[in-house]
Amino acid sequence: MKRRIPLAITAVVGIVYIFQYFVPHEPVSRFSDWFSDWFGIITAFAIWLGALNLMKLSLLKVSQRKKDWGYALVTIIGFATVMIVGLFFSRGASFQEPGTNFMYLYDNVYNPLSSTMFAILAFFVASASYRAFRARNKEATMLLLAAFFVMLGRVPVGDLITREWLSLPHWLWLSNWADWVMNIPNTAGQRAIMIGIALGIMSTSLRIILGIERTFISGE
Amino acid sequence: MNKKVVPFIVIALGIGLFAILAASRGFAVTLGAFFTIGIFSFLYKDNPYYKFSEALFVGISAGYWFVSLFWQQMYSKLFSQVAEAYQHTFVNGGGWDDRWMMLVGGVLGVMMLMRLFPKIGWISRWPLAVIVGATAGLYFINYFVSNGINQIGATIAPLQQYGKDGSLDWWASISQFLLVVGTLSGLVYFYFSKEHKGAFGGVAKIGIWTLMLTFGASFGYTVMSRMSLLIGRMDYLVSTWLGLVK
């Protein structure tokens, strides 16, 4: 019950998904459609599980008056507000249409908070790049050169320098070099990484489907 | 002055300032600016204003996904499908309807929530097995096709590239050659079952150079995208909120 059935479910679902790529007909396609819908529903419940667990921990923190319990209360209030507004006061399934109360919260609270959260990473990335882009050896110099061409070639001042001030020929403009770096060496490296990832994921998937890899059922 | 009074004075001044700005610039845009500055305040140091904004962000994010997934998955794939199946089977007398199978998904979903109760938490392994099995099967095929076959197919292209007038395009041909060499040498670098020595080590070295160029380009691109986001937030504060730049 606790181990064999989950392993059997994993194997059946995984094999049906692989099989339906080669035989996209009845009855395989019907099973894969069911599994896809179940996957969506279970994923939604899994995210709910995460949100409810966050609420459980926050409520415990508030009730036991632990350190910084006030911020846990803010989290609970934020969650409850969006949940009530989104479920009951935002035109039902059309909750994401412009003008709903849900979108008001999204545009004026969620969006500024999330964009700024990612925007402050600019400062940390700038600090990290200062350390990474130092020409200490051949490899680090290549890293620096690629980043230099991409960053300077993608802003107007890059072309201003090479085209207007230095009057260089077309093929020496920084924007062209940035495009070349992105299209040739960057693509070559990305392809090597992507093919490597594909081999890794395929072998791991097979291990999971065949029941060799079973850490997802409590760390065996 | 009593030190206990200071936070209350700061909060009162903040509310006053917020009210004045909200009245002059609009409530919604001032609310957005309030939270934007709250997150930016972390650049000075960790402080209560940032912690408040961060805690609210966590709660609101959880609420956002809670509501979105309810309407997009549970409502559209479970409740409305089962309601239509009920209509078909019992009201119209149409017999079995495939949409009844969505109930299985619903039951598995409820089983997933059992993880909240430690004593019966093992029940959540069943729906977890569906997710793991589906992901494994789906990724096996998707990565085999998109990351494997498609990337290999795109790399195996003629080395001679011709221009529009039919003449040999030297630059495009050299670039194509470098693309093939870079991809193959990158793959050689990732092959760790043989020691990187001799000719094999030389090819792996070229692979490292290719990867360093890739990482440099990707890092540069990431820096640019973060800067673009920062400019967007600054634009919101300076133009949209304060109206200083038009």
Side-chain angles (χ1 to χ4, degrees):
Chain A
M1 282 286 271
K2 291 184 181 177
R3 293 210 177 96
R4 285 188 181 171
I5 292 180
L7 286 175
I9 293 173
T10 305
V12 169
V13 175
I15 288 168
V16 166
Y17 263 103
I18 293 174
F19 207 58
Q20 66 90 31
Y21 178 76
F22 301 101
V23 189
H25 310 292
E26 288 278 359
V28 185
S29 61
R30 179 184 290 208
F31 278 104
S32 88
D33 287 345
W34 284 345
F35 291 157
S36 292
D37 288 332
W38 296 353
F39 182 81
I41 294 166
I42 297 168
T43 308
F45 274 99
I47 304 276
W48 266 39
L49 174 70
L52 292 173
N53 201 35
L54 173 73
M55 285 306 106
K56 184 181 156 187
L57 293 174
S58 300
L59 282 168
L60 273 175
K61 204 170 179 180
V62 172
S63 64
Q64 293 170 0
R65 294 286 192 274
K66 283 186 180 173
K67 190 173 176 275
D68 287 343
W69 64 270
Y71 299 115
L73 188 64
V74 172
T75 302
I76 295 166
I77 292 170
F79 175 79
T81 308
V82 175
M83 189 188 75
I84 292 166
V85 167
L87 293 181
F88 304 110
F89 303 104
S90 295
R91 296 185 218 153
S94 310
F95 70 106
Q96 280 183 315
E97 280 181 6
T100 60
N101 294 324
F102 183 84
M103 286 313 289
Y104 182 87
L105 283 176
Y106 179 84
D107 289 335
N108 300 303
V109 182
Y110 179 80
N111 200 26
L113 283 169
S114 66
S115 321
T116 315
M117 201 58 100
F118 285 109
I120 60 167
L121 290 181
F123 293 94
F124 304 113
V125 166
S127 156
S129 59
Y130 173 72
R131 274 169 275 146
F133 297 153
R134 265 190 259 181
R136 282 165 299 195
N137 50 40
K138 205 184 291 173
E139 286 80 17
T141 309
M142 296 180 100
L143 190 91
L144 167 70
L145 282 175
F148 171 81
F149 283 121
V150 169
M151 287 195 290
L152 212 54
R154 290 289 159 100
V155 287
V157 73
D159 266 358
L160 187 77
I161 295 166
T162 47
R163 190 177 59 197
E164 304 294 329
W165 295 354
L166 300 175
S167 301
L168 293 174
H170 180 263
W171 66 277
L172 279 174
W173 293 356
L174 269 173
S175 58
N176 289 331
W177 278 99
D179 287 342
W180 188 83
V181 168
M182 287 305 285
N183 292 335
I184 306 301
N186 178 53
T187 305
Q190 294 282 3
R191 273 187 189 159
I193 293 168
M194 284 165 83
I195 293 168
I197 289 173
L199 293 171
I201 285 198
M202 284 166 67
S203 59
T204 308
S205 297
L206 267 184
R207 283 172 60 84
I208 288 170
I209 290 166
L210 297 175
I212 302 166
E213 176 71 51
R214 48 178 76 177
T215 41
F216 70 96
I217 46 168
S218 76
E220 269 184 75
Chain B
M1 189 189 293
N2 189 349
K3 278 188 177 178
K4 284 184 178 174
V5 182
V6 174
F8 293 103
I9 294 173
V10 171
I11 291 170
L13 282 172
I15 292 171
L17 185 66
F18 181 84
I20 293 166
L21 287 164
S24 63
R25 305 301 309 168
F27 180 77
V29 78
T30 306
L31 194 66
F34 174 78
F35 291 122
T36 301
I37 296 168
I39 300 292
F40 273 137
S41 70
F42 182 74
L43 293 171
Y44 168 60
K45 67 175 187 179
D46 203 8
N47 63 77
Y49 186 15
Y50 170 76
K51 280 184 181 170
F52 170 81
S53 306
E54 187 195 36
L56 190 71
F57 177 53
V58 171
I60 287 202
S61 295
Y64 172 80
W65 287 108
F66 193 90
V67 171
S68 298
L69 288 164
F70 174 79
W71 290 116
Q72 287 166 355
Q73 296 290 336
M74 293 184 193
Y75 177 78
S76 67
K77 284 189 178 163
L78 181 61
F79 300 129
S80 66
Q81 299 285 321
V82 171
E84 284 172 24
Y86 178 84
Q87 180 84 9
H88 178 82
T89 306
F90 295 112
V91 180
N92 302 336
W96 170 256
D97 191 312
D98 256 8
R99 286 173 287 193
W100 281 115
M101 291 303 289
M102 293 306 108
L103 274 178
V104 178
V107 170
L108 285 167
V110 173
M111 286 165 82
M112 183 61 116
L113 294 181
M114 294 302 118
R115 174 111 348 182
L116 284 170
F117 310 101
K119 280 187 182 172
I120 48 170
W122 63 270
I123 294 175
S124 65
R125 286 179 188 175
W126 290 26
L128 198 62
V130 175
I131 290 186
V132 172
T135 309
L138 207 61
Y139 276 19
F140 183 89
I141 291 298
N142 282 356
Y143 276 85
F144 174 65
V145 175
S146 63
N147 275 27
I149 300 295
N150 288 355
Q151 296 305 322
I152 293 168
T155 308
I156 305 172
L159 291 179
Q160 300 107 311
Q161 299 283 318
Y162 296 96
K164 284 176 186 167
D165 57 351
S167 62
L168 189 68
D169 187 337
W170 281 99
W171 184 238
S173 303
I174 291 168
S175 295
Q176 179 63 28
F177 175 74
L178 290 175
L179 190 66
V180 174
V181 170
T183 307
L184 289 176
S185 57
L187 281 171
V188 165
Y189 170 72
F190 284 125
Y191 189 75
F192 298 115
S193 301
K194 184 174 160 56
E195 203 175 350
H196 291 178
K197 273 183 174 177
F200 190 79
V203 177
K205 190 81 180 162
I206 297 170
I208 293 175
W209 294 344
T210 309
L211 290 170
M212 291 314 278
L213 286 170
T214 303
F215 295 143
S218 303
F219 200 2
Y221 202 72
T222 308
V223 172
M224 297 294 285
S225 66
R226 297 293 173 219
M227 285 296 168
S228 164
L229 265 175
L230 181 63
I231 291 165
R233 293 322 297 163
M234 288 300 175
D235 182 57
Y236 179 82
L237 289 178
V238 177
S239 308
T240 314
W241 182 43
L242 295 175
L244 296 176
V245 179
K246 290 183 181 171

